[in-house]
């Protein structure tokens, strides 16, 4: 561990963070935003911390972002993001909205319906897309498609980590009502293999996510900035490939992810789509 929490980095993400498709002068700002959210996520996901401690750390993170005052070294990402936002003129609203989701994670709140899950994603995922759009000078017309893509990415990640989230954190993002409708207990998530009923629940998640990806498919055509258009097209292709893989594989057996060849193929497809867009 470095600092008080377990840490992850961009290499562990499903999708590129500040890739070379984005302009060089904006990449450090994207990384500042990413590191702030990564720290907040690490706090909320730390299995060794009590909920009260997590909330206190997240409050300190928000205070450092808004005031520029920080007593502890671990808060540096908040100060870095504050400086970045001042330099670019981007609002701190996106980062602060994301903190609402991390607070919810910290107290183990669950989603009972698909609408609950989309509301959670509105704060946990969609601010990332909104931040990138504002940073690149985009107008509001691309926002609904960006929201759909960000929510889809978040939900695919939940499905990848469904077993681990439940076993290590007692956390489940899949709508609880869907387990009831399938006639199974949420405790089924401790198993190392999904039976037909649990596979049915997972397939339902992918079905709904595919609908989000369909809405997101308009995004490359709505983004004016060439680099961000290319990046969004690549991420859309990666998400479509991951959804297809999650439909075919059992995430309870082991974490389902794209292999190197699948990633390269999806990225090439995305670049072609971005150029066409």
């Amino acid at each position: 561990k470095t600092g008080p929490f377990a840490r992850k980095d961009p290499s562990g993400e499903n999708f590129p963070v500040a890739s070379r498709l984005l302009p060089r002068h904006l990449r450090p700002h994207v990384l500042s935003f990413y590191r702030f959210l990564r720290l907040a996520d690490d706090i909320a996901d730390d299995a060794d911390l009590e909920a009260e401690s997590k909330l206190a750390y997240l409050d300190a993170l928000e205070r450092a972002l808004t005031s520029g005052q920080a007593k502890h070294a671990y808060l540096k990402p908040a100060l870095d993001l504050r400086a970045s936002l001042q330099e670019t003129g981007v609002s701190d609203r996106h980062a602060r909205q994301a903190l609402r989701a991390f607070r919810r994670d910290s107290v183990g709140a669950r989603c009972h319906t698909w609408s609950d899950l989309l509301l959670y994603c509105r704060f946990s995922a969609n601010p990332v897309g909104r931040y990138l759009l504002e940073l690149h000078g985009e107008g509001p017309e691309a926002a609904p498609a960006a929201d759909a893509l960000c929510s889809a990415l978040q939900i695919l990640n939940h499905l990848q980590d469904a077993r681990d989230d439940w076993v290590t954190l007692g956390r489940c993002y899949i709508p609880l009502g869907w387990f009831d409708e399938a006639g199974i207990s949420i405790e089924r998530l401790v198993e190392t293999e999904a039976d037909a009923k649990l596979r049915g629940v997972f397939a339902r998640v992918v079905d709904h996510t595919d609908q989000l990806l369909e809405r997101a498919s308009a995004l490359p055509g709505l983004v004016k900035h060439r680099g961000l258009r290319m990046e969004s097209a690549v991420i859309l292709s990666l998400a479509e490939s991951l959804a297809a893989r999650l439909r075919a594989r059992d995430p309870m057996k082991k974490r389902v992810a794209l292999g190197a060849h699948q990633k390269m193929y999806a990225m090439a497809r995305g670049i072609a789509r971005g150029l066409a867009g």
Side-chain angles (χ1 to χ4, degrees), residues 110-119 173-178:
R110 294 177 189 167
C111 301
H112 292 271
T113 64
W114 180 254
S115 297
D116 280 348
L117 179 53
L118 290 183
L119 181 61
Y173 298 94
I174 297 167
L176 298 185
W178 291 7

Side-chain angles (χ1 to χ4, degrees), residues 50-245:
E50 296 295 325
E52 295 77 13
S53 300
K54 293 179 181 186
L55 293 172
Y57 280 127
L58 292 170
D59 287 347
L61 200 55
E62 184 160 17
R63 278 196 304 275
L65 176 67
T66 55
S67 71
Q69 306 293 313
K71 294 176 185 170
H72 303 285
Y74 82 87
L75 293 168
K76 186 176 185 297
L79 301 183
D80 291 345
L81 179 58
R82 178 182 168 86
S84 164
L85 295 175
Q86 286 176 336
E87 187 181 329
T88 57
V90 174
S91 168
D92 69 1
R93 176 177 70 248
H94 314 295
R96 295 177 73 184
Q97 281 189 335
L99 289 177
R100 288 180 58 171
F102 293 126
R103 289 188 177 100
R104 182 174 165 165
D105 284 343
S106 297
V107 297
R110 294 177 189 167
C111 301
H112 292 271
T113 64
W114 180 254
S115 297
D116 280 348
L117 179 53
L118 290 183
L119 181 61
Y120 170 79
C121 291
R122 181 182 158 197
F123 295 102
S124 70
N126 300 3
V128 178
R130 297 288 183 119
Y131 166 81
L132 287 168
L133 290 173
E134 188 179 342
L135 180 68
H136 288 80
E138 296 292 325
E141 54 283 338
D147 287 348
L149 178 57
C150 291
S151 292
L153 298 178
Q154 178 78 84
I155 294 163
L156 291 172
N157 189 235
H158 290 332
L159 195 49
Q160 285 177 297
D161 296 339
R163 184 179 187 278
D164 201 37
D165 282 342
W166 182 250
V167 171
T168 60
L169 297 164
R171 197 184 286 168
C172 177
Y173 298 94
I174 297 167
L176 298 185
W178 291 7
F179 288 93
D180 295 337
E181 288 164 32
I184 56 175
S185 160
I186 193 173
E187 287 297 338
R188 197 65 65 89
L189 290 175
V190 303
E191 304 293 341
T192 54
E193 191 172 343
D195 63 6
K197 287 183 175 179
L198 187 55
R199 286 301 289 264
V201 173
F202 291 164
R204 193 172 174 184
V205 174
V206 180
D207 288 344
H208 279 66
T209 307
D210 280 345
Q211 290 172 16
L212 288 173
L213 290 172
E214 213 167 291
R215 293 214 292 278
S217 66
L219 183 60
L222 295 168
V223 173
K224 297 178 182 71
H225 187 285
R226 187 172 183 272
L228 185 60
R229 182 170 70 243
M230 301 292 283
E231 177 101 325
S232 66
V234 163
I235 291 174
L236 181 61
S237 283
L238 287 165
E240 289 165 348
S241 296
L242 182 57
R245 196 160 171 83

